[in-house]
Amino acid sequence: MNKRKIVSKLFLSIFTLFTIISLVLPFSNAKAEEKTYIIATDVTFAPFEFQDENGDFVGIDMDLLKAIAEDQGFKYQVRPLGFNAAVQALEAKQVDAVIAGMSITDERKLKFDFSDPYFDSGVIMAVDEDNNKVSSYEDLKGERVAVKTGTEGAAFAQSIQDKYGFKVVTFDDSANMYEDVKTGNSIACFDDYPVLAYGVKQGNGLKIVTDKESGSSYGFAVAKGENAELLQMFNDGLSNLKASGEYQKILDKYLETGDEEADSGFFGLLKESFPSLMSGLKMTIILTVVSLVAATILGVIFGLFQVSNKKLLRAIATIYVDIFRGTPLLVQAFFIYFGIPAALDIRITAVVAGIITLSLNAGAYIAEIVRGGIQSVDKGQMEASRSLGLPYRKAMSKVVLPQAIRIMIPSFINQFVITLKDTSILSIIGINELTQSGKIIIARNLESFQMWLIVGIIYFIIIMILTKVSNHLERRIKHGEN
Amino acid sequence: MEKISVKNLKKNFGDLEVLKSISLDVHEGEVICIIGPSGSGKSTFLRCLNLLEEVTDGEVIIHGVNLTDKNIDINKVRENIGMVFQHFNLFPHLTILENITLAPVELKKATKEQAKEAALKLLERVGLKDKAGVKPDQLSGGQKQRVAIARALAMKPDIMLFDEPTSALDPEMVGEVLAVMKQLAEEGMTMVIVTHEMGFAREVADRVIFMDGGYIVEQGTPEEIFGNPQNERTKDFLNKVL
């Protein structure tokens, strides 16, 4: 073929070799054991990161990261947390870096160190494909416009909303934002160019009606003053990839190639998404079971505290129950996952944080169920037991609790169902349970309606099974009584 | 030594003075029946004898042990004081046999086998051996109360307290419970009985105590109290109930 390519390849190989020698050698000397970097990303930000049909994370960010890591020889692990969670996780130093199609802004620079820009983005506006009335910002007067939180599109929309007189509504992921436009709740949406272009190509039912507003650039971020070597490796790798042409290949793969037609019928979708959904369901069940076991233990302990004759124990239990019943589960999850690790400078995984949150939350409700159950047992039972000389604990465990448990069973079953459904809230801290699996799949295929229907049906079936089994158990226990 | 010795016992519920100052000695083997109008403090007094109610002031001494002393093990004391309640308070989740064996087994007074054997003997004594395997909700009120007595006796107490044991029973069932109690009295058990059964009190009691307004108003043999009451309030009460 042509000589120039061979020469440039040769030159590049030498260059790469030099880079590797100059970087890796001193680095590997300095650090004996190899570090695995935890890198957080979004889950629903096609074409930068999304799950393919096999459940693997792909996209421009993912492919770039992989290529750079190979080029620079570092190990990493990707945590798809969702954009906001990823940013907060980095602030809390729960992760080493974030790559999530994140625009480099002055505000973010205060908290993070950014790599060289790896993608120049911009903002465009899209409307429903059947909408022929809106073609410019002037047509937005008095209308609702959808944006995704924290994106450049959102910042741009907010900067012009007074000028053009529209109202901005924010969503946490692109799929929901597109759906809001499709259903007509919002007249238009602003999103980052590559994302919206990808969505339109995937057949999200929208069309692009404006030219690209040039915007800022995307960068790879680490916490301020931390992981400088990782940042350096990213920059070096990026320039290597740009020089080798690998960079452009990755971009083209997601922005230029035509789209293969997927089977978007209900059963086609079900078949395609089934493995991901089942692994999500598995996580949902693990979260539910582990949390409920812990919550039951907590609930019984604090429930007993509440009926104790010791003021201190009653006070402790009351405070616990009041706090966890008096705040939303979502806030508790954020506090435990982001707040506590940041304050104490420790790391906990999202799953552990999720289980702690659900256990403490359900434990508070179970404590109330236990208290109510114990108090509904006739006082004469305790008196008769004590009059026989049984100590309080024995009287409680042998006489009062066995009767109280029968009274509590329906409330317990109710709490089990609530906790199972509450696991879906934990998708917000990036746990890949059933709801999150649904979100991830929708990010890829943009089939909101059918996918949420499938996810809803799975929850329904599981809860129906749980309810039937519980009712059967309840009948058996009641039957055993007579 | 007196079996039970109560000195200047006072009991308040909040601002309400239920027992104003009660002193009473009970000898071994004595059967005491406490009568009086409702609200007179009879049941509260009885419940102070095994500390189911906390004592506000005064002393309750059972077999030489002062119950108002914070350092005593109240559970040990209660093992020797059986109590029978108006509403039976059988354990509904356990069989009749288990109701009786629970405390002796849990408190390591007997092995399971020994407790079971003893329980069956007690059930035979109260005429309910054939009910050993059933749950309390299959028994009549009179049967329940007889089981409750057997349950209390399983701990081999030397004092038995009865808190209106026949008040919640249908009239035709009162007799069977009183018969068991009478048998117990004849065997020499020390008993304190709060009751409205004047016939029973007259027949079985060694001493009858009339309480009203938180005081012991009058006490004496059944002949003295029922035949020749001295106090106006006693006369008034007996006129109403007899």
Side-chain angles (χ1 to χ4, degrees):
Chain A
M1 286 218 322
N2 59 44
K3 274 184 181 174
R4 274 183 64 189
K5 245 190 178 170
I6 296 169
V7 171
S8 73
K9 262 195 176 174
L10 204 80
F11 178 78
L12 208 107
S13 304
I14 294 164
F15 177 80
T16 313
L17 205 70
F18 262 104
T19 324
I20 289 169
I21 289 167
S22 64
L23 271 171
V24 174
L25 268 187
F27 182 68
S28 57
N29 280 345
K31 280 198 176 180
E33 84 265 42
E34 206 171 352
K35 187 176 176 185
T36 298
Y37 294 101
I38 310 291
I39 297 174
T41 184
D42 200 350
V43 281
T44 61
F45 199 49
F48 288 92
E49 44 266 337
F50 59 100
Q51 253 182 350
D52 66 9
E53 286 83 351
N54 306 321
D56 298 323
F57 269 87
V58 294
I60 294 172
D61 284 346
M62 295 299 102
D63 289 11
L64 265 182
L65 189 59
K66 194 175 163 196
I68 290 171
E70 269 170 27
D71 184 68
Q72 297 289 311
F74 65 84
K75 279 192 187 168
Y76 69 99
Q77 201 191 335
V78 168
R79 288 255 171 89
L81 300 179
F83 187 81
N84 286 339
V87 171
Q88 289 181 59
L90 184 58
E91 274 185 57
K93 293 178 186 157
Q94 289 271 67
V95 296
D96 294 304
V98 167
I99 183 161
M102 178 158 50
S103 304
I104 302 170
T105 63
D106 289 340
E107 196 183 349
R108 285 185 184 140
K109 275 186 190 161
L110 295 176
K111 285 183 172 160
F112 307 138
D113 289 332
F114 279 96
S115 69
D116 299 335
Y118 66 83
F119 187 86
D120 291 322
S121 184
V123 176
I124 46 167
M125 181 175 93
V127 297
D128 190 285
E129 62 190 354
D130 298 327
N131 183 337
N132 294 320
K133 289 184 197 136
V134 177
S135 59
S136 69
Y137 304 147
E138 280 82 7
D139 300 326
L140 299 176
K141 193 165 177 60
E143 302 283 1
R144 269 165 58 109
V145 170
V147 299
K148 183 179 164 186
T149 51
T151 60
E152 243 194 314
F156 177 72
Q158 270 148 11
S159 73
I160 63 166
Q161 68 171 331
D162 288 341
K163 186 174 168 196
Y164 294 102
F166 58 84
K167 187 169 177 287
V168 171
V169 287
T170 54
F171 291 86
D172 233 18
D173 66 53
S174 300
N176 288 351
M177 175 174 69
Y178 301 153
E179 200 57 32
D180 204 53
V181 177
K182 284 258 309 177
T183 57
N185 290 335
S186 294
I187 192 86
C189 65
F190 285 91
D191 205 351
D192 298 346
Y193 159 71
V195 180
L196 198 45
Y198 176 82
V200 169
K201 263 188 206 159
Q202 286 286 94
N204 68 359
L206 306 185
K207 63 179 177 189
I208 292 166
V209 289
T210 57
D211 291 331
K212 179 167 126 180
E213 299 281 347
S214 63
S216 63
S217 305
Y218 291 172
F220 172 87
V222 295
K224 193 129 195 108
E226 307 262 337
N227 290 311
E229 77 291 345
L230 178 63
L231 203 59
Q232 189 58 48
M233 285 191 283
F234 188 92
N235 286 337
D236 293 339
L238 181 63
S239 61
N240 290 350
L241 292 184
K242 277 186 175 165
S244 71
E246 178 74 15
Y247 172 80
Q248 195 56 45
K249 260 195 215 161
I250 291 171
L251 253 55
D252 290 350
K253 183 174 157 194
Y254 293 100
L255 295 178
E256 295 298 321
T257 50
D259 208 40
E260 64 269 34
E261 199 55 42
D263 185 357
S264 61
F266 183 82
F267 290 101
L269 277 175
L270 184 61
K271 200 178 151 203
E272 180 214 280
S273 57
F274 199 69
S276 308
L277 290 176
M278 283 306 109
S279 81
L281 179 61
K282 196 174 141 199
M283 177 56 84
T284 292
I285 289 171
I286 290 171
L287 287 171
T288 308
V289 171
V290 176
S291 303
L292 278 176
V293 169
T296 304
I297 295 167
L298 283 173
V300 170
I301 291 171
F302 284 102
L304 287 172
F305 279 12
Q306 282 189 311
V307 297
S308 162
N309 53 8
K310 297 200 173 59
K311 252 188 182 169
L312 179 71
L313 295 185
R314 283 207 307 272
I316 291 169
T318 305
I319 290 167
Y320 164 65
V321 169
D322 283 353
I323 287 174
F324 281 91
R325 288 205 310 182
T327 54
L329 180 61
L330 188 61
V331 174
Q332 293 162 15
F334 280 145
F335 184 78
I336 288 168
Y337 186 50
F338 300 121
I340 290 179
L344 303 181
D345 202 24
I346 51 169
R347 277 190 189 193
I348 48 176
T349 67
V351 173
V352 171
I355 286 171
I356 293 173
T357 309
L358 269 185
S359 303
L360 288 170
N361 183 274
Y365 287 93
I366 291 177
E368 278 297 284
I369 294 171
V370 170
R371 181 188 62 78
I374 290 171
Q375 287 178 343
S376 67
V377 174
D378 180 36
K379 258 178 68 186
Q381 294 290 312
M382 177 57 90
E383 288 182 350
S385 313
R386 298 306 304 276
S387 78
L388 288 164
L390 290 172
Y392 178 83
R393 279 183 177 203
K394 275 220 156 83
M396 189 53 92
S397 67
K398 296 288 172 181
V399 175
V400 177
L401 277 182
Q403 297 178 56
I405 284 167
R406 286 182 171 79
I407 298 164
M408 294 174 209
I409 285 173
S411 310
F412 264 132
I413 294 170
N414 200 32
Q415 186 58 44
F416 291 173
V417 170
I418 289 171
T419 300
L420 194 146
K421 289 193 284 191
D422 279 352
T423 56
S424 66
I425 291 176
L426 299 178
S427 65
I428 206 79
I429 57 171
I431 297 178
N432 204 348
E433 43 63 70
L434 184 54
T435 299
Q436 183 78 336
S437 304
K439 274 193 202 170
I440 290 168
I441 293 163
I442 292 166
R444 175 177 74 242
N445 63 21
L446 303 171
E447 296 283 351
S448 306
F449 176 77
Q450 305 205 57
M451 284 312 301
W452 287 128
L453 184 64
I454 291 171
V455 169
I457 289 169
I458 295 174
Y459 274 115
F460 184 78
I461 290 170
I462 294 302
I463 287 167
M464 276 300 115
I465 293 171
L466 180 73
T467 312
K468 292 278 176 241
V469 170
S470 306
N471 287 345
H472 180 70
L473 272 174
E474 187 183 354
R475 267 200 303 277
R476 272 186 55 180
I477 290 169
K478 285 261 164 78
H479 192 71
E481 199 176 322
N482 294 328
Chain B
M1 196 192 325
E2 301 290 353
K3 204 78 187 161
I4 302 172
S5 180
V6 179
K7 289 171 189 162
N8 302 320
L9 173 64
K10 292 194 178 90
K11 172 68 187 174
N12 298 347
F13 288 114
D15 293 335
L16 185 69
E17 291 181 300
V18 180
L19 301 179
K20 284 164 187 160
S21 181
I22 303 233
S23 296
L24 179 73
D25 288 336
V26 182
H27 323 297
E28 177 144 18
E30 199 177 10
V31 176
I32 305 271
C33 281
I34 304 175
I35 61 171
S38 50
S40 60
K42 310 181 297 279
S43 286
T44 305
F45 171 63
L46 194 74
R47 290 160 60 84
C48 284
L49 296 182
N50 65 353
L51 238 57
L52 278 187
E53 298 294 348
E54 245 176 85
V55 171
T56 306
D57 195 22
E59 285 181 340
V60 177
I61 298 161
I62 304 286
H63 214 74
V65 179
N66 190 343
L67 302 196
T68 50
D69 180 350
K70 293 279 175 214
N71 297 319
I72 58 129
D73 181 359
I74 186 63
N75 295 322
K76 279 276 167 240
V77 178
R78 282 175 179 154
E79 285 177 11
N80 293 316
I81 310 174
M83 188 165 196
V84 175
F85 299 85
Q86 181 179 356
H87 295 288
F88 331 125
N89 297 347
L90 293 184
F91 308 137
H93 60 301
L94 302 177
T95 63
I96 298 310
L97 191 70
E98 289 163 343
N99 261 273
I100 299 171
T101 58
L102 177 76
V105 172
E106 286 299 326
L107 296 170
K108 311 254 187 306
K109 294 280 161 192
T111 64
K112 266 196 175 158
E113 287 69 32
Q114 291 168 337
K116 189 179 167 187
E117 206 177 308
L120 288 172
K121 269 186 196 152
L122 284 168
L123 281 175
E124 195 166 16
R125 200 166 138 191
V126 300
L128 290 168
K129 200 178 178 186
D130 55 326
K131 300 290 184 187
V134 306
K135 294 270 176 76
D137 61 0
Q138 298 192 3
L139 300 186
S140 72
Q143 290 173 326
K144 282 182 192 169
Q145 198 60 299
R146 283 188 278 157
V147 170
I149 294 169
R151 179 177 68 179
L153 291 174
M155 286 302 292
K156 302 193 175 71
D158 47 17
I159 297 170
M160 284 286 284
L161 309 177
F162 292 84
D163 188 4
E164 303 195 25
T166 57
S167 298
L169 296 178
D170 290 337
E172 74 268 25
M173 292 172 183
V174 171
E176 61 191 74
V177 173
L178 293 181
V180 171
M181 290 167 62
K182 192 177 165 191
Q183 193 194 341
L184 207 53
E186 283 163 1
E187 288 166 13
M189 177 68 75
T190 309
M191 293 162 74
V192 182
I193 305 160
V194 172
T195 185
H196 294 294
E197 295 294 330
M198 299 305 155
F200 175 81
R202 184 182 294 216
E203 189 186 348
V204 177
D206 296 315
R207 194 163 20 136
V208 176
I209 288 170
F210 175 69
M211 276 183 70
D212 192 16
Y215 293 104
I216 292 177
V217 174
E218 188 170 357
Q219 55 177 306
T221 63
E223 293 72 29
E224 288 166 352
I225 297 293
F226 293 111
N228 186 22
Q230 301 300 310
N231 192 289
E232 280 308 310
R233 281 193 280 173
T234 318
K235 285 180 194 167
D236 189 43
F237 174 74
L238 289 173
N239 276 336
K240 281 182 190 153
V241 297
L242 289 176

